């Protein structure tokens, strides 16, 4: 699988990616079509010209040979001597068309006359042609002569020739003509080179034409791609200029309509979201005043609960608990609206992380249920109030859902920052036992940053179901869907994550060997102020 992925990535990057571009493919298609058309046209033109040139040359030579032979053979006496046959061959060959003649007489098998005896003899005549010339045809109404003029193209010593032959009369001599086609071959070679050059020029012209055509086609496509990229980056007012009525113009119109529709929907959703946030904020503020009065009354009722009628005491305690729960929910909702509106601010100070954790545990009387492994001197620039909320949510969730004992460990990663601005070497690089923190799977982003403080909160419970892990930091998410009510609101871990992110850190959730493990990673230095609230907050 790794080799396949490597091969795929190699072919989808670098020069292979350029070869797969639309421009290159258009040029390649144009060039292939032009090459095919040019080669086909050149081939057809070459063969047609070749046949025409060869046919004209051989027909001219054969006709002249026939006429000259007919004119001169009448002067040849019967039982001609070898010298007379040589004279006939030389006379017929002197017509001016530059062919040579060989004459043989069956009556004189030892005499073969030739106009050029050193170059052309009867042995140079193909055997098949000699047999065909010597064989008479039946004389009919359609065939008045028994012997005809036959020809054959043949290469002699690498040179092309057309060889023609005929028998003069049944008892007369047989004459053969050797016409060289060297000039015609040279002309055809010149024609072939000309057609090859024309094909190359056509190929270059098609590539230039394809380049121009691809530029015309790809320019709108590139503009469309740039517009789609800008639209994906959030510039919803991006539009394309529409020019013409072709397919690309229709595509641009479709893009503009889609972008306009998307813009309207996003604006509508943004308006609804703003209204919802405003409603939650206004509702929380409106509930805060009566809840303050109700909380004061319930505090008094709680103090007097033991002196009340035993039948009334449970109801009083229920009212007290639910009032406090409603108050916590309102506070959490107000915190969520601050994060959503981007008004959450850090009031940072350099503190000792172990002191901050001890303060959180002591303030909630958890010291009997929490085991703390936090060396002193681990300092970071944080907002103590917001970090206290994070610790309270993580430890409180561990006690509520996992059970005690809950173990909290603190370690450093990367160079530590001293008060004077220098750096010192970190003391620890691993977990409390030197191993990695957390389990193999979790929610959030893994891996502490260099120059960070890592706080791990682990419980002794059954752990978090695998299908729940990706959602533990979602707002109002509860693992037990069957319970209509629970003590938590489903906002605790979400608010903890938002507070970690506003510090420039993160929280991950995973399952350890025993129970769940939440790992908070914070930078030692104060991050830049957040530009907008995109976090998810919680209080459970």
């Amino acid at each position: 699988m790794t080799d396949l992925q490597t091969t795929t990535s190699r072919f989808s990057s670098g020069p292979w990616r350029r070869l797969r571009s639309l421009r290159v493919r258009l040029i390649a298609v144009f060039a292939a079509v032009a090459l095919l058309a040019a080669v086909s046209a050149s081939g057809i033109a070459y063969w047609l010209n070749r046949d025409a040139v060869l046919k004209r040359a051989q027909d001219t030579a054969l006709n002249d040979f026939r006429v000259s032979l007919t004119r001169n053979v009448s002067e040849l006496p019967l039982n001609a001597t070898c010298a007379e046959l040589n004279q006939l061959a030389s006379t017929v060959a002197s017509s001016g068309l530059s062919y040579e003649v060989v004459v043989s007489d069956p009556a004189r098998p030892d005499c073969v006359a030739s106009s050029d005896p050193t170059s052309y003899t009867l042995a140079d005549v193909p055997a098949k042609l000699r047999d065909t010339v010597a064989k008479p045809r039946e004389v009919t109404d359609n065939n008045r002569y028994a012997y005809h003029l036959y020809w054959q193209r043949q290469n002699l010593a690498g040179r092309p020739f057309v060889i023609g032959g005929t028998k003069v009369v049944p008892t007369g001599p047989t004459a053969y003509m050797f016409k060289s086609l060297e000039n015609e071959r040279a002309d055809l070679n010149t024609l072939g080179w000309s057609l090859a050059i024309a094909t190359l020029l056509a190929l270059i012209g098609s590539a230039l034409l394809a380049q121009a055509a691809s530029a015309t086609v790809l320019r709108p496509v590139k503009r469309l791609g740039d517009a789609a990229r800008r639209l994906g980056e959030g510039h919803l007012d991006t539009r394309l200029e529409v020019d013409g009525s072709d397919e690309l113009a229709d595509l641009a119109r479709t893009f503009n309509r889609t972008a306009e529709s998307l813009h309207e929907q996003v604006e509508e959703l943004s308006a609804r979201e703003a209204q919802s946030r405003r409603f939650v904020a206004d509702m929380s503020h409106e509930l805060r005043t009566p809840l303050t009065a109700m909380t004061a009354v319930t505090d008094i009722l709680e103090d007097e609960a033991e002196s009340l009628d035993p039948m009334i005491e449970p109801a009083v305690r229920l009212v007290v608990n639910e009032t406090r729960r409603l108050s916590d929910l309102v506070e959490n909702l107000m915190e969520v609206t601050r994060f959503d509106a981007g008004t959450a601010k850090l009031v940072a100070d350099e503190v000792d992380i172990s002191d901050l954790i001890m303060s959180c545990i002591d303030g909630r009387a958890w010291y009997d249920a929490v085991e703390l492994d936090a060396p002193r001197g681990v300092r970071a620039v944080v907002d103590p109030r917001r970090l206290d909320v994070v610790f309270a949510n993580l430890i409180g969730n561990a006690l509520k859902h996992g059970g005690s004992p809950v173990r909290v460990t603190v370690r450093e990663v990367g160079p530590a920052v001293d008060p004077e601005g220098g750096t010192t070497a970190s003391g620890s690089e691993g977990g409390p036992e030197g191993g990695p923190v957390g389990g193999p799977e979790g929610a959030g982003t893994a891996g502490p940053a260099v120059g960070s403080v890592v706080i791990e909160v682990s419980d002794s419970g059954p752990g978090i179901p695998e299908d729940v892990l990706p959602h533990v930091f979602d707002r109002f998410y509860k693992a037990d869907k069957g319970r209509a009510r629970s003590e938590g609101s489903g906002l605790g871990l979400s608010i903890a994550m938002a507070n970690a992110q506003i510090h420039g850190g993160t929280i991950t959730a995973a399952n350890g060997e025993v129970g769940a493990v939440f790992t908070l990673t914070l930078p030692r230095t104060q991050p830049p102020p957040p530009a907008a609230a995109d976090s998810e907050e919680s209080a459970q």
Side-chain angles (χ1 to χ4, degrees), residues 52-100:
V53 168
L54 294 179
K55 189 174 187 304
R56 182 174 63 250
Q58 73 186 20
D59 287 352
T60 302
L62 290 172
N63 288 334
D64 185 81
F65 172 66
R66 179 189 295 109
V67 172
S68 181
L69 181 63
T70 303
R71 183 175 62 248
N72 292 290
V73 78
S74 59
E75 300 175 359
L76 186 69
L78 294 174
N79 299 320
T81 63
C82 192
E84 292 174 332
L85 292 178
N86 281 318
Q87 180 64 32
L88 174 65
S90 298
T91 303
V92 173
S94 62
S95 64
L97 291 184
S98 301
Y99 56 79
E100 303 297 333

Side-chain angles (χ1 to χ4, degrees), residues 262-423:
L262 180 63
H263 194 182
E264 293 175 356
Q265 293 179 18
V266 169
E267 285 186 340
E268 182 180 356
L269 291 175
S270 299
R272 290 182 181 179
E273 184 179 4
Q275 290 176 357
S276 299
R277 290 177 180 175
R278 185 63 185 171
F279 171 75
V280 171
D282 291 345
M283 181 184 66
S284 301
H285 281 287
E286 292 298 327
L287 288 175
R288 198 172 189 181
T289 300
L291 274 175
T292 302
M294 291 173 62
T295 301
V297 173
T298 54
D299 289 342
I300 297 173
L301 288 176
E302 185 178 24
D303 293 339
E304 301 294 332
E306 294 182 356
S307 62
L308 296 175
D309 189 312
M311 299 294 293
I312 301 176
E313 181 183 357
V316 171
R317 294 195 180 278
L318 177 62
V319 170
V320 170
N321 291 334
E322 291 301 317
T323 301
R324 288 176 177 170
R325 181 174 178 272
L326 182 59
S327 179
D328 291 341
L329 177 61
V330 170
E331 289 296 329
N332 288 335
L333 286 174
M334 292 184 66
E335 186 73 3
V336 166
T337 57
R338 292 189 194 101
F339 280 110
D340 287 344
T343 58
K345 303 296 182 183
L346 278 178
V347 182
D349 191 13
E350 186 178 14
V351 298
D352 191 307
I353 298 297
S354 61
D355 290 343
L356 198 58
I357 298 175
M358 283 296 300
S359 174
C360 174
I361 295 173
D362 291 343
R364 292 164 179 81
W366 287 339
Y367 38 80
D368 290 335
V370 178
E371 299 177 1
L372 179 61
D373 181 9
R376 292 191 175 275
V378 179
R379 305 181 68 81
V381 179
V382 296
D383 186 333
R385 183 187 69 83
R386 293 190 179 279
L387 208 55
D388 180 76
V389 172
V390 176
F391 293 148
N393 274 296
L394 295 180
I395 298 174
N397 272 283
L399 290 171
K400 185 186 304 180
H401 301 290
S404 61
V406 172
R407 185 176 177 85
V408 180
T409 60
V410 179
R411 63 188 176 93
E412 297 177 271
V413 175
V417 180
D418 65 23
E420 297 181 359
T423 60

Side-chain angles (χ1 to χ4, degrees), residues 240-257:
L240 289 172
E241 294 184 6
V242 181
D243 183 18
S245 58
D246 55 4
E247 290 81 359
L248 291 174
D250 290 340
L251 182 61
R253 292 189 188 93
T254 303
F255 175 86
N256 289 342
R257 286 195 295 268

Side-chain angles (χ1 to χ4, degrees), residues 14 24 41 48 53 61 68 81 104 109 125 141 180 183 186 225 242 309 313 388 396 409 413 452 475 479 490 514 526:
V24 173
L48 289 176
V53 168
S68 181
T81 63
S104 66
V125 180
D141 293 339
S180 175
N183 294 334
V242 181
D309 189 312
E313 181 183 357
D388 180 76
T409 60
V413 175
S452 303
R475 293 179 183 177
V514 177
Q526 183 179 359

Side-chain angles (χ1 to χ4, degrees), residues 14-187:
W16 292 106
R17 184 177 182 181
R18 289 192 292 272
L19 289 177
R20 294 170 54 193
S21 69
L22 184 57
R23 182 186 300 274
V24 173
R25 282 184 285 174
L26 279 174
I27 294 176
V29 169
F30 267 78
V33 171
L35 181 62
L36 179 62
V39 169
S40 300
S42 298
I44 293 172
Y46 179 81
W47 285 108
L48 289 176
N49 280 276
R50 178 180 179 273
D51 287 344
V53 168
L54 294 179
K55 189 174 187 304
R56 182 174 63 250
Q58 73 186 20
D59 287 352
T60 302
L62 290 172
N63 288 334
D64 185 81
F65 172 66
R66 179 189 295 109
V67 172
S68 181
L69 181 63
T70 303
R71 183 175 62 248
N72 292 290
V73 78
S74 59
E75 300 175 359
L76 186 69
L78 294 174
N79 299 320
T81 63
C82 192
E84 292 174 332
L85 292 178
N86 281 318
Q87 180 64 32
L88 174 65
S90 298
T91 303
V92 173
S94 62
S95 64
L97 291 184
S98 301
Y99 56 79
E100 303 297 333
V101 176
V102 174
V103 178
S104 66
D105 190 349
R108 293 180 177 274
D110 57 336
C111 179
V112 176
S114 174
S115 60
D116 186 2
T118 60
S119 301
Y120 305 98
T121 64
L122 188 61
D124 294 324
V125 180
K128 185 177 180 180
L129 180 60
R130 289 201 303 268
D131 295 340
T132 304
V133 169
K135 183 179 179 181
R137 296 175 59 181
E138 182 181 357
V139 177
T140 63
D141 293 339
N142 297 325
N143 181 36
R144 298 173 55 189
Y145 304 101
Y147 297 96
H148 294 268
L149 177 61
Y150 298 94
W151 61 271
Q152 180 177 340
R153 292 175 189 161
Q154 181 77 16
N155 284 334
L156 299 178
R159 298 168 57 197
F161 283 86
V162 58
I163 303 175
T166 184
K167 194 173 182 64
V168 178
V169 292
T171 59
T174 301
Y176 296 96
M177 176 205 71
F178 291 81
K179 170 60 178 174
S180 175
L181 299 177
E182 279 286 336
N183 294 334
E184 286 72 18
R185 183 168 70 174
D187 293 341

Side-chain angles (χ1 to χ4, degrees), residues 512-535:
E513 295 181 0
V514 177
V517 179
F518 285 83
T519 304
L520 168 64
T521 305
L522 295 172
R524 290 197 183 96
T525 57
Q526 183 179 359
D534 53 353
S535 335

